[in-house]
Amino acid sequence: MRASQSFLPLLKETPAEAELVSHQLLLRGGFIRRLASGLYTWLPLGLRVLRRVEQVVREEMDRSGAQEILMTVVQPAELWQESGRWELYGPELLRLKDRHQRDFCLGPTHEEVISDLARREIRSYRQLPVNLYQIQTKFRDEIRPRFGLMRAREFIMKDAYSFHMDQASLEEGYRAMYDAYCRVFQRLGLDFRAVEADSGAIGGKRSHEFHVLADSGEDAIAFCRHCDYAANVELAESAENPEAAATPAVDTPAAVLTETPDIRSVAAQAEHLGIGRHQIVKTILVMADDRPLLLLLRGDDELNLIKAQRHLGCARLRLATAEEAEEHTGAPVGFIGPRDLPAGLPVLADLRLRGLQDFSSGANQRDKHWLHLQWGRDLPWPEAWADLRLVQAGDPCPRCAGGSLEICRGIEVGHVFQLGTRYSERLGVRVLDEGGREQTVLMGCYGIGVSRIVAATVEQSHDERGIVWPEALAPFRVGIVAINGRKSPAVLSAALELHDRLEAAGIPTLLDDRDERPGVQFATLDLIGLPHRVVVSDKLLAQGMLEYRARRDSDNRLLTPDALWELLGGAS
């Protein structure tokens, strides 16, 4: 393709609303344009990248045995009411009415639609297992769309849904999708990790997220370099420290009730009492399905609400308000503690408290804290224990001996779920088994954020000059700069000949034949991130050479046309 005949609207200045690097560079490089909040038009360069992602995803899905379909964006409310998500999904579900005043929504996901298709068309165990997928537009009415393609309201997604007779078949299908996702991200040239994850609003008993590693990622990931353990910090565990086992009381000073005027935070408490934060028991009142419950943690740990909710098995878990805390404990927030609690208030303690011997806590009185408390002496041992804390860098790995956890940031680009019967039960997806009995099928759900991959790649792969596309994602593999091509017929002819030869060999090539200064041409190719740059000039032609530089390199190389051809793979 010739740049002089292409629609390449570049921007010299970074738009003020673009916060992330990916948003800035995709706008400046002419890949996308904003239409409205969270809505973007894909320009020719951007669409070429998007189609490359789709191609790899489609090839690996087909290879896995999944079959492509295409479902509607507009979905009838009746299906969402059947599943119970019409009200539960919340304001992200964009609802609308047709001319007959019937309720519909724009699909943020397609569990309901695929379940309706399955219950109409799948009748027998002989038709299972089956995996159906689509690559299609989704719409989620985000309260605050931001970061360009990273959190847009309209986006492109690959979603697949599998149906199975039993758990063993579901496990097999889940593993096939897991492996297919790994192949997709490997082929796209991304540095990624698959991590154990919480299923969230989609539901299900088992799930993994796939994260592109980038400092700008919204999610924190805990992983071990000594083994394959990796998990979203919302779910990550650490091995219980050896000293964290319950131990007999040691000889510590008698408990002392201490005046702590307006000392409410752990940091202020530690400073006022002259102790470490790890010597403080932090007491947090939460509401588990509207029932009060006290959670106890070490002062240097942070509560992981998701892990606590999974342990408790409640539908909703939230921090209590200040008014609720005083109502149920009799003490203001900041002065609640595990000693002298009201009768009947359940307590759940973090495992790391089992080894704590001499600690401070709130006294359930305003402006007072206990010092030198001891389990079994000054207050009873908690009856229930669980892993309630957010893991920290340096925690021992829960899977291997000798490993420790590291924390990095990631951008979620894929998620696989074992849904079980969550949707098939509610929407009546049943088949006849071998004995002629009706049985509810098991489901799996598998999503890839196709358009988000484009932004995530830029976040992971860029420099001060612009985007650095991996080979598999670049809109063009090679960029040719024809210096003074408008004035030199020899340069333009040689550049066109090279362009046509590369294109004929299946190597997508952009020829910059614009009437621009060489510096502008070089800057353009650097900005849009093509993997290879070739320069043609009168001086180089006189030497029988071409100038070559890979996008990730800092130095130019002089090559003969044959050497260049061999380097770019054209000879094969």
Side-chain angles (χ1 to χ4, degrees), residues 496-535:
L496 279 170
E497 181 181 351
L498 178 59
H499 169 274
D500 293 347
R501 187 180 181 190
L502 289 169
E503 284 282 346
I507 300 174
T509 302
L510 176 67
L511 169 58
D512 191 347
D513 59 340
R514 298 174 298 165
D515 189 16
E516 293 281 3
R517 292 179 290 107
V520 173
Q521 294 175 299
F522 296 156
T524 296
L525 292 188
D526 282 344
L527 175 62
I528 65 177
L530 306 190
H532 307 278
R533 187 185 79 189
V534 179
V535 177

Side-chain angles (χ1 to χ4, degrees), residues 253-329:
V256 177
L257 188 61
T258 307
E259 294 288 337
T260 51
D262 205 31
I263 301 296
R264 296 175 180 271
S265 70
V266 168
Q269 184 182 342
E271 182 178 358
H272 183 79
L273 298 176
I275 59 176
R277 296 187 186 189
H278 68 282
Q279 294 174 272
I280 294 173
V281 170
K282 181 162 51 179
T283 308
I284 303 170
L285 186 77
V286 296
M287 305 301 290
D289 291 338
D290 298 323
R291 297 191 306 273
L293 171 77
L294 277 181
L295 303 180
L296 308 181
L297 294 95
R298 266 179 31 173
D300 57 342
D301 286 330
E302 294 297 325
L303 172 63
N304 186 327
L305 270 174
I306 290 178
K307 284 204 291 191
Q309 182 175 359
R310 288 170 65 93
H311 176 82
L312 293 168
C314 55
R316 296 178 305 279
L317 184 69
R318 62 174 175 83
L319 299 177
T321 64
E323 293 75 18
E324 289 170 330
E326 193 151 5
E327 174 190 350
H328 293 293
T329 67

Side-chain angles (χ1 to χ4, degrees), residues 22 26 149-150 190-191 211-214 216 410-413 449-462 469 473:
S22 61
L26 289 171
L149 300 179
M150 203 69 73
L190 299 174
D191 184 10
H211 287 263
V212 169
L213 304 185
S216 58
I411 301 167
E412 183 187 343
V413 292
V450 174
S451 51
R452 180 180 278 195
I453 284 175
V454 177
T457 302
V458 178
E459 289 296 325
Q460 185 179 87
S461 190
H462 67 272
W469 290 114
L473 276 172

Side-chain angles (χ1 to χ4, degrees), residues 1 38 76 81 111 120 132 145 169 190 222 231 264 269 322 333 345 368 469 566:
M1 181 177 290
Q81 290 161 355
E111 284 81 11
R120 295 171 185 269
L132 304 173
S169 175
L190 299 174
R264 296 175 180 271
Q269 184 182 342
V333 171
L345 185 60
K368 288 183 170 59
W469 290 114
E566 183 176 352

